[in-house]
Amino acid sequence: MKEKISQVIVVEGRDDTANLKRYFDVETYETRGSAINDQDIARIQRLHELHGVIVFTDPDFNGERIRRMIMTAIPTVQHAFLKRDEAVPKSKTKG
């Protein structure tokens, strides 16, 4: 049985959601990469009020940009991190 995570995890895309769901019973909110906008921030704020939110973005420029935007708007969100070397795909094709 997979461990249940009660908070909503903010990720960048479908691959991130798929990887998390392999190991956890979890709901995610996908930002579609760096395309995050004010509407996304408002939705994430609402999710944070209802369930709590954990930001789990890539340790690259876009991931850090998304993290900063969310943290500025919602200072009480939680954060999860991977080290850069842990976030590198195992093959040349993503995945």
Side-chain angles (χ1 to χ4, degrees), residues 5-58:
I5 297 176
S6 60
Q7 297 97 330
V8 175
I9 311 284
V10 176
V11 296
E12 292 180 51
R14 289 184 310 224
D15 290 344
D16 301 312
T17 293
N19 283 328
L20 282 171
K21 287 184 179 265
R22 284 173 45 199
Y23 302 102
F24 301 100
D25 177 6
V26 64
E27 294 302 318
T28 62
Y29 183 90
E30 297 170 4
T31 66
R32 301 165 319 282
S34 61
I36 191 168
N37 59 35
D38 290 341
Q39 191 174 31
D40 289 308
I41 296 291
R43 288 179 180 152
I44 294 166
Q45 173 71 51
R46 183 73 175 137
L47 290 170
H48 182 57
E49 291 166 3
L50 294 171
H51 308 286
V53 164
I54 300 172
V55 179
F56 190 47
T57 55
D58 296 339

